[in-house]
Amino acid sequence: MKQSEVKELSTADLQGKLGALKKNYTDLKMAHAITPLENPLQLKTLRRTVARIATELTKRELQ
């Protein structure tokens, strides 16, 4: 998810997506610890997407 897509979403949508993505990231991380993922770059992209959404939420809170 690109930054421009994140900016278009409402705050409620961002909070919902953040919770879902964090859960997905945790699940993938656990699965990767047990058996290696086919594409370990999924972890990197998911982690960065979570960070983008969290940053946008923090930015909106400060305004």
Side-chain angles (χ1 to χ4, degrees):
M1 179 175 273
K2 294 184 178 184
Q3 187 65 27
S4 59
E5 295 170 352
V6 171
K7 286 183 180 181
E8 293 173 1
L9 296 174
S10 68
T11 304
D13 290 339
L14 286 176
Q15 289 172 343
K17 273 200 176 291
L18 183 62
L21 288 173
K22 278 186 176 181
K23 183 181 181 333
N24 191 5
Y25 176 70
T26 305
D27 293 343
L28 270 180
K29 197 171 171 184
M30 289 295 181
H32 184 61
I34 296 169
T35 58
L37 291 174
E38 193 171 306
N39 184 7
L41 287 178
Q42 287 175 318
L43 292 172
K44 177 181 174 181
T45 56
L46 199 54
R47 185 176 65 239
R48 288 185 177 184
T49 302
V50 167
R52 280 189 190 102
I53 292 174
T55 301
E56 182 64 26
L57 284 172
T58 303
K59 184 173 149 187
R60 290 181 185 189
E61 286 176 7
L62 295 175
Q63 285 181 351

